[in-house]
Amino acid sequence: MNENNNLLLNLGFSKFIKDILMNFDLKSIPKPVLIIGSRDDGINSLVNNVASGYLCPEMCFSNIDQCNICKQISKSIYPDFHKIDNDNEDKIKSEDIEDYIVRKSYSSSTNVRGKVFAIMNSHNMTKQAMNVLLKLYEEPMPGNIYLLTTNNINNIPKTIISRCDVYTIPILSKDNFVNLCNTEIGLSDSKLISKIWFVARGKLNLSNLMINDINLADDYLSEINKFVNFVSYPLNIKIQSSDYYLDMLKNDYSKYVFLTEITIHIIKDVILSRYYPSNIDPIFEYFKKRFDDYENSKCIEIIDTLNSFDKYYNNNVNPSLIIDNMIYSI
């Protein structure tokens, strides 16, 4: 496949983006928008496309080969597009909100429509930063659009959520994904489609990346295999792998989140398969065997443990304690 082929991403995002832009057009002073999604969902591309749709008079949605405005937006250098992009999930401080959002909200714009401000991973704002943002929301400037993104809405205060229009990035159902691959993208390899679905679970950006790089699905499967080993193997093997996952938790939070999410999906599918047996995908069958000796109660205990790390992480618990909790709890 052409490495620049973003057809799946565009198909999945098109209606979603149009709904957001239509909401902007219907209100003289639109409410801030909170978008729930992760890096694997394509949150960065989505935010850039929303900014392009609002600021570009041609509404060409980041067609960087033809549009200078969209080209600058895609590189985050357009003068009326301001983004706090803490990809490493660093804390966003009140000074950041003051410098990049508040002050620039009240400065003049070159674009006749106004400005777009985006805060990625907004759940990582400090309490002081959130208070600064709330004050700005109480007196918004006409023409300014404010976007927030998060993969953890539970860590966004209700005072902010209540002032936002909330959207969740769509995830494709398996049937819809298979249909798009067959009819729109021209991908007919059923084994490859099943592999991509098993790994990405309908996440648009991750699915799109794997369609364009078929080796990527194997890379992800290898990482999933390592993590399932970590979860399901005896204590001594967990301890041997602890430094690897401690380093991942510190330096690639999104990857660690993905591995816990897909492992939870697998374990839930294991439980369901015991009650509703059907034709089992060979990839799932391989992972299912790891949990054949686990009773449902133990499977649920593992799910609860995997879900608990996010609460600890966002309460600034030492990452090594999070890994230790996983090692000794399951």
Side-chain angles (χ1 to χ4, degrees):
M1 302 290 292
N2 185 333
E3 64 180 3
N4 294 315
N5 182 2
N6 290 318
L7 183 57
L8 180 67
L9 205 60
N10 294 336
L11 288 169
F13 280 166
S14 59
K15 184 179 184 303
F16 186 73
I17 293 171
K18 289 176 181 177
D19 287 345
I20 294 175
L21 293 174
M22 183 180 296
N23 201 8
F24 293 159
D25 291 337
L26 292 175
K27 301 175 182 178
S28 57
I29 302 181
K31 293 173 66 175
V33 166
L34 173 61
I35 304 173
I36 304 171
S38 68
R39 183 176 62 188
D40 290 331
D41 294 316
I43 192 73
N44 288 303
S45 296
L46 176 64
V47 165
N48 287 351
N49 275 289
V50 171
S52 292
Y54 183 74
L55 296 171
C56 173
E58 302 299 327
M59 296 187 67
C60 54
F61 296 104
S62 291
N63 188 345
I64 61 176
D65 293 330
Q66 299 179 19
C67 176
N68 189 49
I69 290 178
C70 291
K71 184 176 182 178
Q72 292 181 59
I73 288 173
S74 71
K75 296 180 179 180
S76 296
I77 60 174
Y78 187 66
D80 290 319
F81 178 44
H82 305 281
K83 180 163 67 171
I84 297 178
D85 191 357
N86 60 329
D87 192 44
N88 292 325
E89 304 254 351
D90 297 326
K91 286 295 182 182
I92 302 171
K93 301 177 181 179
S94 57
E95 308 92 85
D96 300 323
I97 302 299
E98 289 281 4
D99 292 341
Y100 292 96
I101 308 295
V102 177
R103 291 175 186 168
K104 292 178 180 178
S105 287
Y106 296 106
S107 64
S108 59
S109 60
T110 59
N111 193 294
V112 293
R113 297 207 70 184
K115 301 181 180 185
V116 174
F117 297 89
I119 304 174
M120 314 301 288
N121 300 309
S122 59
H123 53 273
N124 283 322
M125 286 187 288
T126 64
K127 184 177 180 180
Q128 294 81 1
M130 291 180 181
N131 287 335
V132 171
L133 195 65
L134 279 172
K135 290 180 181 178
L136 176 66
Y137 286 173
E138 290 172 359
E139 298 179 359
M141 289 290 290
N144 285 348
I145 298 299
Y146 300 96
L147 307 174
L148 305 176
T149 78
T150 183
N151 60 3
N152 190 347
I153 194 171
N154 292 326
N155 279 13
I156 304 290
K158 292 181 180 178
T159 50
I160 289 182
I161 295 174
S162 65
R163 288 168 169 79
C164 296
D165 288 323
V166 181
Y167 295 84
T168 300
I169 291 183
I171 293 178
L172 297 174
S173 68
K174 185 174 183 179
D175 288 344
N176 196 8
F177 175 67
V178 172
N179 181 59
L180 286 175
C181 287
N182 290 334
T183 62
E184 301 289 344
I185 300 171
L187 182 64
S188 57
D189 186 335
S190 58
K191 290 184 178 180
L192 177 59
I193 292 173
S194 294
K195 183 186 296 185
I196 293 173
W197 168 258
F198 181 88
V199 173
R201 300 291 169 135
K203 292 179 180 290
L204 285 164
N205 188 57
L206 187 55
S207 299
N208 191 78
L209 291 173
M210 290 179 182
I211 287 172
N212 290 308
D213 181 0
I214 59 176
N215 295 320
L216 190 60
D218 291 326
D219 293 340
Y220 268 80
L221 275 175
S222 176
E223 286 292 343
I224 294 168
N225 188 42
K226 288 179 185 177
F227 193 77
V228 169
N229 287 346
F230 179 59
V231 168
S232 63
Y233 276 11
L235 179 63
N236 63 314
I237 298 181
K238 287 187 176 74
I239 293 174
Q240 292 173 14
S241 303
S242 61
D243 286 343
Y244 179 79
Y245 290 108
L246 177 59
D247 182 69
M248 184 185 296
L249 183 56
K250 290 179 177 178
N251 300 305
D252 197 346
Y253 173 83
S254 294
K255 183 177 182 180
Y256 190 88
V257 169
F258 168 79
L259 290 174
T260 60
E261 285 179 348
I262 191 65
T263 302
I264 289 170
H265 277 303
I266 291 170
I267 298 173
K268 286 181 177 179
D269 287 345
V270 168
I271 296 173
L272 288 172
S273 70
R274 293 170 180 172
Y275 296 97
Y276 305 101
S278 58
N279 293 327
I280 297 179
D281 180 271
I283 300 176
F284 172 60
E285 179 66 34
Y286 172 80
F287 287 101
K288 177 178 176 294
K289 290 178 181 178
R290 306 292 184 85
F291 300 99
D292 277 347
D293 295 332
Y294 286 66
E295 295 183 356
N296 287 348
S297 59
K298 181 62 177 178
C299 289
I300 293 171
E301 182 182 334
I302 294 172
I303 291 172
D304 289 341
T305 300
L306 292 175
N307 276 325
S308 69
F309 93 89
D310 194 56
K311 176 183 68 176
Y312 294 135
Y313 183 87
N314 287 291
N315 286 332
N316 296 314
V317 174
N318 189 318
S320 62
L321 296 179
I322 298 174
I323 299 298
D324 287 346
N325 177 63
M326 185 172 296
I327 289 174
Y328 293 104
S329 296
I330 57 180

